[in-house]
Amino acid sequence: MEPNKLEQDIKKKLGARSITPSSMAWDRLDAMLSVAEKKETKKKPIVMWLSMAACFVALLFAGIFFLNQESSNVKNGIDDGTTVVSAPEKKVENTTPAVIKEEVIMETAAPIAEAPVAVTAKKSGNKVQYKTGTVKQNAIGCAGVTPSEPEVAVNTPEPVQQPAGVKISKIKVDAAALLASVDKPSQNNAPKKSAVEVASGPAKKTIDVNANTLLTSVEGELDQSFRGKVINSIQKNYNTVKTAVVTRNRE
Amino acid sequence: MKVIDLHSDEKNLIKEAAANNRHAQQRLYSKHSGKMLGICRQYIKDLHLAEDVMITAFMKVFANLKNFEHKGSFEGWIRRIMVNECISYLRVQKKVGFLEDEYYKEESFNNIESNLSVDDIQNLIDSLPEGYKMVFNLYCIEGYKHQEIAKMLDISEGTSKSQLCHARKMLQEQVNKLKNYENGTE
């Protein structure tokens, strides 16, 4: 349906038409524009104030979080590696499989001479002493020992987490020192100990920490204290915002 | 050269008005208000109401002046805002009703050459029902397509076509009556 001549005429005439609005029209528009401007300028400080409050709250949260983290780290001794974590009692009890393994290794040799020897094993900062431990020793091997001859291997117990026999570290014992200690069983244990320690060389200093238990305990403490602080701070901030809004509305 | 100067002048004026310069806003208003009131008058019979709608539309123009991208003509942009404001006003007043009538006949109307004045034309348009009038204005004067009109008025394309057909028919009849009256045959 194409527009006919009448429609074209209507379009032309109405398109060119101009109706002068009343003199009051601009005044009304001016008033409306100034009201709108005032509203905008009122809104801006509120937005600024709100953003400032939000920043303050965010900073507060961050501060609380970091403080909490620091305190928890000091408590658990994570930040300074010098603190020795005391191993739980269970670890000592669970060392039996390692001892069994030790005996199996030693029985492969023919005649065995048993001698009570005090062996100290240093492992991961925990001193686990085997005062009643026995070192089975090849008598022949000991008799024909030359000072440079190989040493007796003694298995050290592993911590609970690691399965026994997976990591068996060998402590090298000086044969001459060991023989001397056997010859004088009644003597003090102190020199023997030192001999074993000397032969073993620099012991590896590793901190054995049960990661799971430690983490769970830390998380528990952290959650409780952090939650409480956060709730307190939220309540404080909410109250301040509420009072500010109320005072603003009154104004 | 003169045209370019005028264009740049309007661009600066728009920029200043967007920055809430009241003087620039007044200049823009006085430049376009006459035509815009004419457009509002096409849709709204009462001149005072049409002026109210125009003022509301100008408020929207100044509020959204920052969004004007200078891609098309500024007048066209304001015109569109005016038309939309008139439509929404009539909708709020519930003055527009569209019969979901999809009957329309593609017929060629008589090419009547009329010497009608603007006031006569306006009276003819005012005599149309609101629905017919709106579609006629949008299609014949603003140049929208049926698809666009259907979208704007939330009606089907067929309804828009049928409304236009009815409006044309009524206008033809009215013009013929006027002609007969002028010739003294009626």
Side-chain angles (χ1 to χ4, degrees), chain B residues 43 83-84 87 91 98 131-161 163-164:
Chain B
Y43 294 86
V83 169
N84 285 332
I87 291 169
R91 268 190 175 173
F98 296 101
Y132 294 0
K133 185 164 79 177
M134 201 175 272
V135 174
F136 180 80
N137 278 332
L138 288 171
Y139 187 86
C140 296
I141 299 166
E142 302 301 329
Y144 286 102
K145 289 171 184 170
H146 283 298
Q147 202 181 348
E148 291 168 317
I149 295 166
K151 214 175 176 183
M152 280 168 88
L153 302 178
D154 200 22
I155 53 172
S156 68
E157 222 177 300
T159 306
S160 170
K161 282 177 183 174
Q163 297 277 316
L164 179 69

Side-chain angles (χ1 to χ4, degrees), chain B residues 46-57:
Chain B
D46 189 337
L47 187 63
H48 295 291
L49 287 175
E51 199 178 87
D52 286 349
V53 172
M54 183 200 70
I55 288 168
T56 317

Side-chain angles (χ1 to χ4, degrees), chain B residues 90-118:
Chain B
L90 291 168
R91 268 190 175 173
V92 169
Q93 298 296 315
K94 291 180 180 173
K95 286 184 176 174
V96 199
F98 296 101
L99 286 169
E100 287 296 316
D101 169 26
E102 299 215 348
Y103 167 79
Y104 60 93
K105 204 176 168 185
E106 294 269 348
E107 55 181 290
S108 58
F109 292 97
N110 297 326
N111 279 337
I112 309 160
E113 291 222 32
S114 68
N115 293 319
L116 296 168
S117 66
V118 181

